[in-house]
Amino acid sequence: MEWNKPFQKLSWIVIVILLLLMLAVTVAAGFFSIVTFQMIFYTAAACLMLVFMSLVISFFAIYRFISNEGQLTGKNKSTLRMALKIFMPILLAVSNIFSYRKDEIRRVYIQANNAYVLGMGIKAEPEKTLVILPHCLQSSKCRYRIREGLEDCQQCGSCNIGDIKQLIQRYGVHAELATGGTSARKTIKDTKPEFVIAVACERDLSSGIMDVRGLPVYGLLNKRPNGPCRDTFTDIAELERMIQYFTVREVPESNVSIEEHN
Ligand code: SF4
């Protein structure tokens, strides 16, 4: 059987690290005095206290934000940033491990991230604004292959893609369909946008926002009345509002015909 080399390499690294740790603890037990051990434990306790304090502050930042129905005030912006960087990833990981209300926790993260991004005062060039769309927005009955761009959409009105095509032409922003997280990351790497509006489900949005550190991402949830990854749709009026909010160009009142697709 052909052994997987990265598996072997990583296994040996983990084994050697554990062995070194075990040796270090054994040597320390023989040479260190009780006072030295006390110092080590006091230092560890102080570090844990710092982590504890930052988690409590982050929790109240998120709690206050939720209680205020998503209104972000100037002074709690930096606390919210800390909550998004430290507290929420820990909470998301715990909710994943225990499969506890994953989508509800992810929604709070997306909402808090959006409030933070809204408060950043972003005004990006439309050409530097990327709208990433999930492929499941396209009608499963569509006869056209729309994988590379929206140009192939015939705007028949059966799904959101036609409306979005109209929107991106109107505002001059860039839009791409992504088949998943890897494809979305590749699109970002290739197009190098300054700002991203991403439409996706709770799972893809929360992991995507966490992945692209340093790049502001506003998340819009898609609606899934037909189950996951099939004939989904999104709020086009909200998408248009966000494009207007985050881009520099002055645009006339919307004349886009927005239809409900469900
Ligand atoms: S609007 Fe019509 S043509 Fe365009 S992707 Fe949807 S179903 Fe296909």
Side-chain angles (χ1 to χ4, degrees), residues 150-200:
L150 305 196
E151 298 77 32
D152 298 326
C153 168
Q154 303 302 304
Q155 296 176 260
C156 71
S158 299
C159 73
N160 270 166
I161 301 289
D163 296 330
I164 296 174
K165 182 180 173 184
Q166 233 181 312
L167 266 190
I168 62 163
Q169 284 170 347
R170 178 179 164 80
Y171 290 94
V173 298
H174 190 65
E176 292 278 350
L177 280 188
T179 47
T182 311
S183 134
R185 274 188 293 276
K186 185 176 179 312
T187 303
I188 289 174
K189 203 173 156 207
D190 293 347
T191 55
K192 297 186 178 48
E194 284 172 0
F195 176 65
V196 173
I197 299 176
V199 179

Side-chain angles (χ1 to χ4, degrees), residues 87-99 102 105 210:
F87 180 65
M88 286 311 296
I90 295 176
L91 210 65
L92 287 166
V94 172
S95 113
N96 264 340
I97 291 168
F98 295 103
S99 275
K102 291 193 276 188
I105 309 282
M210 245 186 287

Side-chain angles (χ1 to χ4, degrees), residues 107 109-111 113-115 117 132 195-201 205-206 209 216-222 234 238-239 242 246:
R107 271 201 290 274
Y109 174 65
I110 294 160
Q111 228 184 320
N113 167 77
N114 286 352
V117 173
I132 300 186
F195 176 65
V196 173
I197 299 176
V199 179
C201 61
L205 265 185
S206 56
I209 290 168
V217 179
Y218 187 92
L220 265 179
L221 284 171
N222 61 357
T234 193
E238 173 74 354
L239 177 60
M242 289 305 117
F246 287 113

